[in-house]
Amino acid sequence: MKRRPVQYGFTLIEMAVALAIVALLAGGILLATRVQLTQRQNTETRQALEEAREALLAYAAVNGKLPCPAQGGAPGQGEEARDGGGACNVKRGLLPWETLGIRAIDGWGRRLAYLPDSGFTSKPALTTQGTIQIQDGTGTMLASTGAVAAAVWSWGANGYFATLPNGSTLDGSAAGRDETTNGMPTGTTIISRDESENTADPGGRFDDQVIWISRFILFGRMINAGQLP
């Protein structure tokens, strides 16, 4: 009886199964990597925003007022921009990272945006109220009228309207209504709502991350520092 020769190697079916398994494993690793990267970027952004809050409160405790926004994002442009009379050159701009001595970069490598109320960029009184409105996109106020002294935000993953550390600005023409509100050069309304990738939402897709400073917390720091009676 003739013996059948021993065959080595994989059949086409075995190779197809092996390739499918490799593809599934690679896809799972890629997904896990993306999730970890997103978590890291969000964590770094929250840390940057909290650092910004503390720096602004400390600045007010030392100087008796909040700094003005910076007008440019490139190195050397991070000082607060005031005119000769002491007024801010712009209502909205960038967090003045060089004045505050911090990086002011979010998890996606972009400058933090900043809107101070004009009543707090000169020395306020205890009766000073803010005009900034923090809304959820439906018109609902997230802070009482007069309660907000400043807002700071990251433009999130999509980066619409964001400024890079080299001073260039990303296009915001594809942004929805709510992110466009945050991207306006003037105005006192800032939108803060849940993240959404759905362009059909009433306010469009949204991933900005916003914090604000209560005038009462600001007053407390200034009173403790002797800047207010």
Side-chain angles (χ1 to χ4, degrees), residues 69-160:
Q71 289 183 266
Q77 298 179 336
E79 296 286 342
E80 63 165 338
R82 290 183 185 268
D83 63 22
C88 297
N89 290 342
V90 292
K91 293 184 179 298
R92 299 191 190 202
L94 302 176
L95 192 72
W97 71 94
E98 291 177 355
T99 296
L100 297 172
I102 60 176
R103 292 184 68 242
I105 298 288
D106 68 12
W108 294 273
R110 300 157 188 156
R111 299 288 185 198
L112 296 179
Y114 171 55
L115 169 63
D117 187 275
S118 59
F120 295 89
T121 54
S122 57
K123 190 165 185 176
L126 286 174
T127 55
T128 302
Q129 294 192 23
T131 59
I132 297 172
Q133 296 187 3
I134 308 295
Q135 298 184 8
D136 68 353
T138 68
T140 300
M141 298 281 286
L142 299 180
S144 298
T145 300
V148 178
V152 183
W153 64 98
S154 158
W155 300 105
N158 65 40
Y160 293 141

Side-chain angles (χ1 to χ4, degrees), residues 46-56 95 101-104:
R46 288 193 295 270
Q47 291 172 344
L49 290 170
E50 287 305 316
E51 182 180 54
R53 188 203 305 272
E54 287 302 311
L56 287 170
L95 192 72
I102 60 176
R103 292 184 68 242

